[in-house]
């Protein structure tokens, strides 16, 4: 029989244990983490599993900032162990008593910032991707809030940001050596993934100054250097530029300086009052008809020869009942090759929470001569967050937006 240390090592690299640690560091809901703990023990949270939890998670955590979260987790963990007739190890009891003894002002209040670690776990089928590290795990440290009500300040991690990050890591060839600009960058997760796959230039923007400050902290925590001023050309592949860019006051000449190959956004289609400003920003960034010397508007030569092209002629407007397309727009002059093309393109990941708001965005986009294509089914990212049960890929749509020649 193998000794306990070798058993623990095997557990550490087994999927249930990898998922447990990743879910714990990402501060997933306690019930989800406990389900992984049961998986580690074959259905029960045995003493060996409790030791694993203590040694690899709780005892290695800067505990005081996590006090409210860990107090809730340990309470549910202890109840789960006791209810199954198992014995709880002393360390877990003692740590729970410690958290219970903390005064409110000694622990962290609900609107405080925490350090989460988002772990992208690469399955075997994508080990050949250029985005896959040798360890087959990419960890991103983020300072953010666990209070979703702070979403307006960009200090929470929204599902669309996770989806867009998976998309970038699943299709690195789309973004590598491209100039990428994100509108509404929040905690900076997308920018960190862009830097990881070696985009030639990464520019992040947000309209909230406190969000920008938190974003810079996150970038620096992940060993990226930041600049607040605008650089026409990247001088360091490890550098990310951070711009204060409120959509409503963004000047056209300021936007024209950016010249991105790819524009990105996550959960930016949410407020009807902001949509006209967002669409204007996208239209300016994507309208680059004078980019090429020949000045031709024909895009039929975008795809390389002898390569299969995907061509769509429907927009992605939805009706409220069926979610199906309600109107068609001729997009025959828009050619794509696995998402690659030489004209500027935008990728917007969005949860469609309100059909009317979404269709308002589509109407404004059409007025601005923007083509909106739903590519969710054509370009599905790998599931790199298998432990994140509170996040579902299926709830998010990926939109590809291009400027149509007039």
């Amino acid at each position: 029989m193998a000794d306990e240390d070798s058993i623990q090592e095997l557990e550490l690299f087994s999927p249930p244990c990898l998922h447990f640690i990743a879910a714990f560091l990402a501060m997933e809901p306690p019930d989800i983490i406990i389900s992984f703990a049961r998986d580690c023990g074959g259905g029960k949270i045995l003493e060996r599993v409790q030791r694993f939890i203590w040694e690899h998670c709780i005892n290695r955590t800067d505990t005081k900032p996590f006090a409210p979260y860990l107090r809730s987790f340990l309470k549910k963990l202890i109840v789960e162990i006791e209810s199954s007739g198992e014995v709880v190890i002393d360390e877990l009891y003692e740590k729970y008593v410690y958290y219970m003894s903390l005064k409110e002002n000694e622990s962290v209040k609900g609107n405080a910032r925490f350090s989460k670690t988002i772990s992208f776990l690469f399955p075997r089928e994508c080990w050949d991707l250029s985005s896959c590290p040798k360890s087959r795990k990419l960890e991103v440290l983020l300072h953010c809030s666990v209070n979703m009500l702070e979403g307006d300040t960009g200090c929470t991690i929204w599902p669309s940001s996770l989806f867009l990050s998976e998309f970038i890591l699943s299709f690195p060839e789309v973004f590598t050596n491209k100039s990428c600009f994100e509108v509404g960058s929040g905690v900076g997760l997308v920018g960190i993934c862009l830097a990881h796959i070696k985009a030639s230039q990464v520019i992040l923007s947000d309209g909230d100054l406190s969000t920008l400050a938190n974003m810079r902290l996150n970038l620096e925590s992940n060993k990226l250097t930041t600049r607040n001023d605008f650089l026409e050309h990247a001088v360091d592949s490890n550098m990310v530029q951070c711009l204060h860019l409120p959509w409503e006051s963004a000047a056209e000449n300021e936007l024209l300086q950016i010249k991105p190959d790819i524009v990105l956004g996550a959960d930016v289609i949410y407020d009807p009052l902001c949509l006209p400003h967002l669409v204007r920003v996208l239209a300016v960034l994507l309208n680059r008809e004078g980019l090429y010397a020949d000045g031709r508007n024909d895009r039929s030569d975008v795809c390389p020869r002898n390569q299969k092209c995907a061509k769509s002629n429907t927009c992605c407007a939805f009706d409220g009942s069926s979610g199906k397309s309600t109107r068609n727009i001729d997009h025959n002059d828009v050619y794509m090759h696995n998402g690659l093309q030489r004209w500027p393109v935008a990728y917007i990941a969005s949860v469609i929470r309100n059909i009317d708001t979404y269709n308002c965005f589509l109407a404004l986009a059409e007025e601005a001569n923007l083509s909106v294509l739903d590519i969710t089914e054509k370009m599905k990212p790998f599931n790199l967050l298998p432990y994140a049960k509170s996040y579902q890929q299926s709830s998010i749509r990926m939109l590809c937006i291009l400027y149509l020649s007039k």
Side-chain angles (χ1 to χ4, degrees):
M1 179 181 294
D3 59 27
E4 186 170 340
D5 287 340
S6 64
I7 291 175
Q8 285 185 348
E9 184 176 355
L10 289 175
E11 286 184 342
L12 181 61
F13 293 101
S14 67
C17 296
L18 281 175
H19 293 174
F20 177 88
I21 294 174
F24 179 84
L25 294 176
M27 299 177 70
E28 281 285 290
D31 290 341
I32 291 174
I33 301 178
I34 289 172
S35 71
F36 285 127
R38 286 196 295 267
D39 292 342
C40 291
K44 290 186 177 182
I45 305 177
L46 305 172
E47 179 177 345
R48 183 160 56 95
V49 178
Q50 296 177 47
R51 293 287 176 194
F52 175 87
I53 294 172
W54 172 256
E55 292 174 8
H56 291 284
C57 295
I58 296 175
N59 200 35
R60 294 187 179 184
T61 304
D62 183 10
T63 54
K64 187 171 286 188
F66 282 86
Y69 175 78
L70 286 178
R71 183 166 55 225
S72 173
F73 166 67
L74 282 172
K75 179 180 179 180
K76 292 188 177 184
L77 179 64
I78 290 170
V79 169
E80 172 72 20
I81 297 170
E82 290 179 338
S83 64
S84 65
E86 302 298 325
V87 177
V88 180
I89 64 173
D90 292 340
E91 290 88 339
L92 297 181
Y93 272 132
E94 292 169 0
K95 185 62 72 173
Y96 178 60
V97 170
Y98 165 74
Y99 290 137
M100 291 298 293
S101 68
L102 286 179
K103 296 180 181 179
E104 184 65 27
N105 61 357
E106 292 178 336
S107 63
V108 180
K109 296 182 180 180
N111 61 353
R113 305 288 165 80
F114 295 82
S115 295
K116 290 186 181 183
T117 298
I118 303 299
S119 302
F120 295 97
L121 307 178
F122 288 77
R124 183 178 297 274
E125 58 266 31
C126 59
W127 287 358
D128 290 336
L129 289 177
S130 61
S131 57
C132 181
K134 291 183 179 179
S135 64
R136 300 191 289 276
K137 177 172 64 173
L138 173 64
E139 293 186 338
V140 179
L141 177 64
L142 296 173
H143 302 271
C144 54
S145 173
V146 294
N147 180 5
M148 292 298 285
L149 296 179
E150 278 206 80
D152 287 345
T153 67
C155 294
T156 60
I157 305 174
W158 291 97
S160 293
S161 180
L162 295 173
F163 185 89
L164 186 54
S165 298
E166 285 184 302
F167 186 84
I168 292 166
L169 297 173
S170 297
F171 300 101
E173 70 279 2
V174 174
F175 304 93
T176 299
N177 296 323
K178 298 292 193 304
S179 173
C180 299
F181 173 77
E182 185 184 12
V183 292
S185 301
V187 294
L189 176 61
V190 168
I192 293 168
C193 291
L194 288 170
H196 173 73
I197 57 92
K198 301 189 184 305
S200 63
Q201 187 175 37
V202 179
I203 307 174
L204 307 182
S205 71
D206 208 281
D208 183 85
L209 289 173
S210 64
T211 300
L212 280 173
N214 186 62
M215 185 197 308
R216 285 194 291 270
L217 175 63
N218 287 333
L219 294 168
E220 291 164 0
S221 297
N222 288 275
K223 298 181 172 56
L224 296 172
T225 55
T226 63
R227 287 186 67 108
N228 302 334
D229 55 332
F230 179 77
L231 293 176
E232 186 174 353
H233 300 287
V235 296
D236 183 351
S237 60
N238 207 39
M239 179 177 293
V240 176
Q241 297 163 236
C242 302
L243 299 181
H244 180 232
L245 191 74
W247 300 339
E248 64 274 11
S249 60
E252 183 172 347
N253 61 349
E254 181 181 13
L255 295 171
L256 289 173
Q257 292 182 60
I258 298 173
K259 299 178 182 177
D261 298 312
I262 299 175
V263 179
L264 302 103
D267 259 329
V268 291
I269 305 171
Y270 60 90
D271 185 350
L273 296 178
C274 294
L275 293 183
H277 306 299
L278 171 63
V279 169
R280 181 184 69 86
V281 168
L282 292 176
V284 173
L285 292 171
L286 298 178
N287 180 9
R288 303 256 295 282
E289 291 186 304
L291 181 64
Y292 303 105
D294 57 16
R296 292 182 291 115
N297 291 332
D298 179 17
R299 303 184 188 184
S300 60
D301 63 342
V302 172
C303 289
R305 292 184 178 182
N306 301 320
Q307 299 279 5
K308 183 179 180 181
C309 297
K311 181 166 63 177
S312 173
N313 62 1
T314 59
C315 75
C316 47
F318 289 83
D319 65 39
S321 58
S322 67
K324 295 181 178 179
S325 176
T326 59
R327 56 195 169 97
N328 294 332
I329 299 175
D330 185 8
H331 293 326
N332 286 335
D333 62 336
V334 178
Y335 286 78
M336 298 182 65
H337 168 61
N338 294 331
L340 294 171
Q341 48 87 54
R342 74 178 189 183
W343 285 64
V345 61
Y347 293 104
I348 305 294
S350 183
V351 176
I352 301 176
R353 299 179 178 86
N354 185 296
I355 296 298
D356 291 337
T357 299
Y358 181 68
N359 281 332
C360 175
F361 168 76
L362 292 175
L364 290 168
E366 185 177 2
E367 291 176 7
N369 222 37
L370 296 177
S371 158
V372 182
L373 304 173
D374 188 328
I375 62 170
T376 310
E377 300 303 320
K378 291 183 178 180
M379 297 183 70
K380 288 186 176 181
F382 288 105
N383 180 12
L384 305 181
L385 303 166
Y387 60 89
K389 302 301 183 182
S390 59
Y391 150 72
Q392 298 295 326
Q393 278 191 351
S394 59
S395 66
I396 300 164
R397 310 305 297 177
M398 176 60 74
L399 308 177
C400 173
I401 304 176
L402 305 101
Y403 185 85
L404 293 177
S405 302
K406 295 181 179 180

